[in-house]
Amino acid sequence: MNFRKICVLGAGQMGAGIAQSLAESGQTVCLIDLKEDFIQRGLDMIAFNFDRSVGKARITRDQANAHLERIGSSTDMLSAVADADVVIEAVPENMDTKKRLYRELDASCPENAILASNTSSFSITEIASVASRPFNVIGMHFFYPVPLMKLVEIVKGRMTSAETHQRIVNLAEKMAKTPITVEESPGFVFNRILIPMINEAIFVLNEGLASATDIDKAMTLGASHPIGPLALADVIGLDTLLMVQESLYTQFNDSKYRPCLLLKKLVHAGHLGRKTGVGFYTYEKSHAPETSPLFAKQPK
């Protein structure tokens, strides 16, 4: 089943990845953002990914061109969504921003359009509360990098209809993803399990029980994880990690979700992981990560 048109709001890493995966599955996509520069960066990222796939003989140049032709763009959101069957929102995690956006979408989208949020932590029920069609609002939580990661959490709000849920499950499967259905709860399934695990690894480092490298070795070699928790934290971004951790702590009011003070210190210092070049490790282009000077020795 193809939808006639799917709009993706936000041309950042997540939004561009979602648009790419949709185009690869044969869907017609419109990538929307506030400025042409933002959209162009997203399109350049998609084109780069297709070029790399051609270079590795995963797809042909004709296939890459066909995928790119399915992706349109617009800075006029209200006009672009007027004939959309599905809108997938991938804007920054701010509830006020999302509510304002969903009010506008509710007023501008066709009556039967599905409004899906890529939120990693916010309540779908609360987001849907501003819409006159809460039964058409659902969570569709992708994982970075979207073109490579198979998992999609399909999150039902209190009012999400069975039809909306099934249509989005079908869309995820058409995108060659593996959907899991999640009843609404802070952190859903993945972050509810992953974020406290990473936080505990940070506590272990902060207490001086082992070095960052050895903590990561413990989980890659002992639990067969493809990447250690501290290296993964650097990939996620320590600011994003802290935001999700604090959201879990606030919503559950349970001390087991309290963020480690070391995580807060790193974020306050601007050491956010790969995107700033330093976090639990340091990063240089074309070089493997090395232990950050901050953790060259075990903390005392």
Side-chain angles (χ1 to χ4, degrees):
M1 176 192 67
N2 269 26
F3 293 96
R4 292 172 302 171
K5 178 182 178 183
I6 298 177
C7 290
V8 178
L9 305 187
Q13 289 184 327
M14 293 301 295
I18 294 168
Q20 177 182 329
S21 294
L22 286 166
E24 288 176 318
S25 70
Q27 300 290 161
T28 299
V29 188
C30 182
L31 187 60
I32 302 170
D33 214 315
L34 296 174
K35 297 180 179 180
E36 289 288 354
D37 287 350
F38 299 161
I39 293 173
Q40 192 57 53
R41 280 200 293 268
L43 293 174
D44 288 345
M45 189 187 313
I46 294 169
F48 173 82
N49 289 340
F50 285 145
D51 286 344
R52 186 165 54 182
S53 292
V54 171
K56 294 183 177 181
R58 293 172 180 163
I59 59 174
T60 66
R61 173 54 61 187
D62 286 345
Q63 288 173 319
N65 291 338
H67 295 334
L68 285 170
E69 287 175 3
R70 296 189 190 98
I71 305 174
S73 64
S74 178
T75 56
D76 185 350
M77 182 188 76
L78 300 185
S79 175
V81 303
D83 59 347
D85 292 325
V86 178
V87 177
I88 301 175
E89 163 265 309
V91 305
E93 294 282 68
N94 179 284
M95 182 58 83
D96 290 338
T97 298
K98 289 184 186 291
K99 284 184 174 179
R100 181 173 66 252
L101 179 63
Y102 278 75
R103 287 190 188 96
E104 294 175 350
L105 292 174
D106 188 51
S108 303
C109 291
E111 182 178 353
N112 294 324
I114 295 174
L115 310 180
S117 177
N118 182 53
T119 182
S120 62
S121 59
F122 285 163
S123 165
I124 299 302
T125 299
E126 184 174 354
I127 292 172
S129 68
V130 300
S132 64
R133 59 181 101 181
F135 41 84
N136 281 358
V137 180
I138 194 167
M140 197 176 190
H141 180 211
F142 293 87
F143 294 84
Y144 178 81
V146 178
L148 299 180
M149 298 297 282
K150 294 296 186 183
L151 178 64
V152 180
E153 289 183 315
I154 309 298
V155 187
K156 298 190 295 182
R158 182 173 177 82
M159 297 293 290
T160 303
S161 71
E163 180 184 0
T164 294
H165 169 255
Q166 190 57 56
R167 292 177 73 193
I168 290 300
V169 166
N170 292 345
L171 175 60
E173 290 174 342
K174 183 169 180 59
M175 295 171 70
K177 305 299 183 186
T178 301
I180 64 169
T181 297
V182 181
E183 299 295 336
E184 185 176 272
S185 179
F188 312 143
V189 170
F190 183 81
N191 281 332
R192 173 83 174 269
I193 297 170
L194 177 72
I195 301 301
M197 184 197 74
I198 295 176
N199 194 51
E200 192 63 26
I202 299 171
F203 271 115
V204 169
L205 178 65
N206 193 49
E207 293 168 15
L209 300 183
S211 67
T213 301
D214 283 348
I215 291 168
D216 280 350
K217 284 180 181 177
M219 298 309 294
T220 56
L221 301 179
S224 297
H225 289 191
I227 184 173
L230 299 177
L232 179 57
D234 281 352
V235 172
I236 293 170
L238 303 193
D239 52 342
T240 300
L241 182 68
L242 179 59
M243 181 273 294
V244 178
Q245 187 74 44
E246 289 181 329
S247 176
L248 288 170
Y249 186 35
T250 299
Q251 293 186 72
F252 281 109
N253 194 28
D254 189 330
S255 62
K256 74 179 180 181
Y257 296 111
R258 73 194 188 285
C260 180
L261 182 59
L262 176 58
L263 176 60
K264 292 184 176 183
K265 286 181 178 179
L266 289 172
V267 171
H268 294 161
H271 300 150
L272 308 181
R274 281 186 176 271
K275 59 187 172 185
T276 60
V278 62
F280 294 107
Y281 298 90
T282 57
Y283 301 89
E284 294 182 13
K285 289 183 179 179
S286 75
H287 288 82
E290 299 179 353
T291 303
S292 166
L294 296 166
F295 307 114
K297 297 180 180 180
Q298 294 184 27
K300 300 298 183 184

